[in-house]
Amino acid sequence: MTESSRRNISWIFALLAAYFALQVGVRLATSHSLDLDEAEQAFRSQWLAAGYGPQPPFYNWLQYTVFQFAGVSLTALSIVKNLLLFISYLLYGLTARLVLRDKALVAIATLGLLTIPQMAFEMQRDLTHTVAVFFSASIFFYGFIRSLKQPSLASYLIAGIGIGFGLLAKYNFAILPAAALIAALSDARLRLRIFDWRLVLTAVVALIITLPHLFWLKDNLDFATARTLEKMTASGDASYLTQVAMGISSLALATISFAGLTVAVFALVFGKSLRPALGSGSEWTRLLERMLLVFLAGILLLIVFGGAAGIKDRWLVPMLFILPLYFCLKIEAAGGTTDRAFRRFIPILAVIMIGVPAALYGSVATARFTGHYERLNRPYAGMLETLRKQAEPAAILAGDSLLAGNLRQDIPSVPVLSIDYPGFNPDLTSRRPLLLVWLLPQKGESEALPPAMAQWLQVNLGVSAPQASVIDVPYLYGRGDDSYRFGYAWVNQPG
């Protein structure tokens, strides 16, 4: 880095802005079809609620608002996600600049987030609520560090906004501010920043933001937590000791999956100087170490006393996202030079920034050669276009939320219901014709109307099961004559 670029790190944010703009373009070029989380957003944007189910509503509220102005589209979905990611990286970079003197390390810490697979690849591939967690964590972390180093009314306000957004993004976010609070209280010099009247502002702002959802959560606690608890405690008939062993091993594997590549990149970039640097420390490294220990203790308590048997790597985002900054703080504390390390880092960064979009596109586009199809290869739009030539549906009942969200994208003026989500059930008595659609991915499966759909029709409309039909539509990027099968039926089809 030149001396002028050391002083001015705005190029980092310009590079990231270009990168996330590229990601939007790649997503739009890859496929018109929606993946699971994208389809969920499209489907649930039909109504505004204080809660929607297992995931808190922050991302739903945000996407609903954008859809009101921009319409339901893949473009709106992709721009929202990548804008949140860009802001998250921006705030992370600003946080790094608060605690690092060496601007080369600021750049490596910020861009080092791209070495975390869950941040660089998985968040682009499909995740939405995890993106919201990262966004909220970046807001809180910036407000928290700024409150410790340069306390002001604004810094405590920012921390409160981050906590409020985070609790509305995922419930496990709560462990981040808890870890930060305990870590700061254990340091006499930082304790003064906690026992500050402005912390009341942090708490009040967080409470105001989360209050509508808290009222909903009070009456829907089982509905909101059952699915997550089921995933975490899925140990079958295993004994207590086996469940604990499963939980600890899953935590170890999740941590390696999350941090392994980052550790390898830093080892490659900093070479032999990394190992002695890990033994160095500063006020900030010790703070982050205490936060990591509290986080680890919280997860272990969940395993030992909460029955958690399966820890997912993406659940570690609210805490382990600080790793690139932690490593850079360690390196600066050791007093090593960074020019050579930065030059080594740039080609690795280039490979990631080119390779990730290429891999995302290639995983879908190469199906024409491999015959291996992803969800984004499914031809939802082509199927709906064909069926609309038979009749224009006044309402649609889909077999699941993935299908419902994809249909909603292409016919936003029509209510789309899903069998797997009874929470949205508008009156369809006068809406005819009603189109029923479900997935038939495997040939040889029953082509009859699914029993759940037949039951829904009888209970909600008093209608007997209509005759089912099948439509085969060529895959997107399909190989030869490969096609995807959909079952469909009409209720009161004209003509």
Side-chain angles (χ1 to χ4, degrees):
M1 293 179 74
T2 65
E3 193 61 34
S4 60
S5 63
R6 285 179 183 276
R7 292 191 297 268
N8 181 10
I9 62 168
S10 59
W11 66 270
I12 301 172
F13 307 129
L15 177 63
L16 287 168
Y19 174 71
F20 289 118
L22 171 65
Q23 288 285 17
V24 172
V26 169
R27 179 62 187 92
L28 297 180
T30 300
S31 171
H32 179 71
S33 298
L34 305 180
D35 216 327
L36 288 170
D37 280 18
E38 295 169 327
E40 175 200 288
Q41 295 302 319
F43 169 59
R44 297 186 182 182
S45 68
Q46 296 177 90
W47 72 99
L48 186 62
Y52 295 85
Q55 302 288 2
F58 174 79
Y59 207 104
N60 299 92
W61 289 353
L62 178 62
Q63 196 68 67
Y64 174 90
T65 303
V66 173
F67 281 160
Q68 297 306 301
F69 293 98
V72 180
S73 68
L74 176 60
T75 301
L77 284 162
S78 188
I79 287 176
V80 166
K81 172 184 285 189
N82 283 280
L83 184 59
L84 289 181
L85 287 172
F86 171 69
I87 295 172
S88 303
Y89 278 67
L90 173 65
L91 289 168
Y92 195 90
L94 294 176
T95 306
R97 194 165 64 176
L98 283 173
V99 294
L100 288 167
R101 297 182 301 275
D102 188 328
K103 295 304 181 287
L105 288 175
V106 172
I108 293 173
T110 306
L111 299 172
L113 288 168
L114 291 170
T115 66
I116 302 175
Q118 289 71 19
M119 317 285 276
F121 185 81
E122 293 297 336
M123 287 188 183
Q124 289 291 347
R125 188 178 64 85
D126 185 35
L127 303 178
T128 54
H129 299 288
T130 304
V131 170
V133 167
F134 175 40
F135 172 70
S136 306
S138 297
I139 296 174
F140 168 75
F141 194 50
Y142 174 66
F144 172 63
I145 296 298
R146 188 173 157 185
S147 295
L148 296 179
K149 186 170 185 181
Q150 301 171 358
S152 66
L153 208 59
S155 67
Y156 284 86
L157 174 65
I158 292 169
I161 292 172
I163 293 172
F165 285 176
L167 294 175
L168 289 179
K170 270 184 178 288
Y171 300 123
N172 69 338
F173 175 87
I175 199 167
L176 174 59
L181 179 65
I182 294 170
L185 284 174
S186 61
D187 187 309
R189 288 174 295 180
L190 300 178
R191 202 174 298 146
L192 295 175
R193 304 305 184 200
I194 302 301
F195 295 117
D196 188 304
W197 69 268
R198 288 169 290 196
L199 190 66
V200 176
L201 176 64
T202 302
V204 169
V205 168
L207 180 63
I208 290 173
I209 292 173
T210 57
L211 203 55
H213 182 62
L214 290 176
F215 281 120
W216 178 89
L217 191 62
K218 177 177 66 70
D219 299 322
N220 298 274
L221 187 60
D222 289 341
F223 179 46
T225 59
R227 183 178 169 189
T228 301
L229 291 175
E230 182 182 351
K231 289 181 180 179
M232 291 177 60
T233 58
S235 57
D237 298 324
S239 67
Y240 172 72
L241 290 178
T242 302
Q243 170 263 308
V244 171
M246 290 171 62
I248 292 175
S249 61
S250 70
L251 173 61
L253 289 173
T255 303
I256 293 170
S257 172
F258 194 100
L261 180 60
T262 302
V263 173
V265 168
F266 272 78
L268 184 62
V269 166
F270 290 97
K272 295 180 180 179
S273 63
L274 180 62
R275 180 175 293 182
L278 293 177
S280 303
S282 66
E283 176 186 28
W284 298 112
T285 62
R286 288 188 288 273
L287 173 70
L288 298 189
E289 285 163 357
R290 292 193 297 271
M291 289 175 63
L292 289 169
L293 284 174
V294 172
F295 176 76
L296 176 62
I299 298 295
L300 290 175
L301 287 173
L302 195 62
I303 292 170
V304 174
F305 297 106
I311 305 299
K312 305 294 185 182
D313 50 22
R314 63 179 178 272
W315 297 349
L316 306 181
V317 168
M319 196 68 238
L320 295 191
F321 80 107
I322 67 175
L323 281 180
L325 176 58
Y326 172 70
F327 287 139
C328 287
L329 284 166
K330 282 282 191 179
I331 291 158
E332 184 167 84
T337 58
T338 57
D339 283 347
R340 181 179 298 177
F342 184 79
R343 288 193 295 271
R344 290 175 180 168
F345 181 69
I346 288 301
I348 296 174
L349 178 68
V351 169
I352 293 172
M353 297 184 87
I354 296 170
V356 168
L360 290 166
Y361 179 79
S363 65
V364 179
T366 55
R368 59 163 54 101
F369 308 111
T370 64
H372 175 75
Y373 298 103
E374 304 286 345
R375 283 185 289 264
L376 294 186
N377 290 109
R378 296 178 185 175
Y380 302 104
M383 173 268 293
L384 183 60
E385 181 182 2
T386 301
L387 294 182
R388 290 178 78 176
K389 293 176 182 178
Q390 298 180 13
E392 191 66 26
I396 300 175
L397 177 64
D400 59 41
S401 295
L402 173 62
L403 179 54
N406 274 278
L407 296 172
R408 160 83 170 148
Q409 179 188 201
D410 290 309
I411 189 166
S413 61
V414 168
V416 182
L417 288 70
S418 175
I419 288 295
D420 67 1
Y421 192 87
F424 178 62
N425 193 20
D427 183 14
L428 301 184
T429 304
S430 61
R431 287 187 172 271
R432 296 293 186 276
L434 171 64
L435 174 61
L436 315 178
V437 188
W438 60 97
L439 305 178
L440 290 171
Q442 299 295 328
K443 290 186 177 181
E445 290 187 358
S446 171
E447 298 176 357
L449 185 74
M453 277 191 163
Q455 182 181 8
W456 189 95
L457 289 173
Q458 187 62 48
V459 171
N460 291 276
L461 300 178
V463 174
S464 58
Q467 181 179 353
S469 301
V470 173
I471 180 173
D472 291 272
V473 186
Y475 276 106
L476 302 177
Y477 306 100
R479 182 179 63 175
D481 297 327
D482 289 357
S483 61
Y484 194 85
R485 311 186 84 210
F486 299 90
Y488 73 96
W490 292 95
V491 175
N492 298 128
Q493 179 184 5

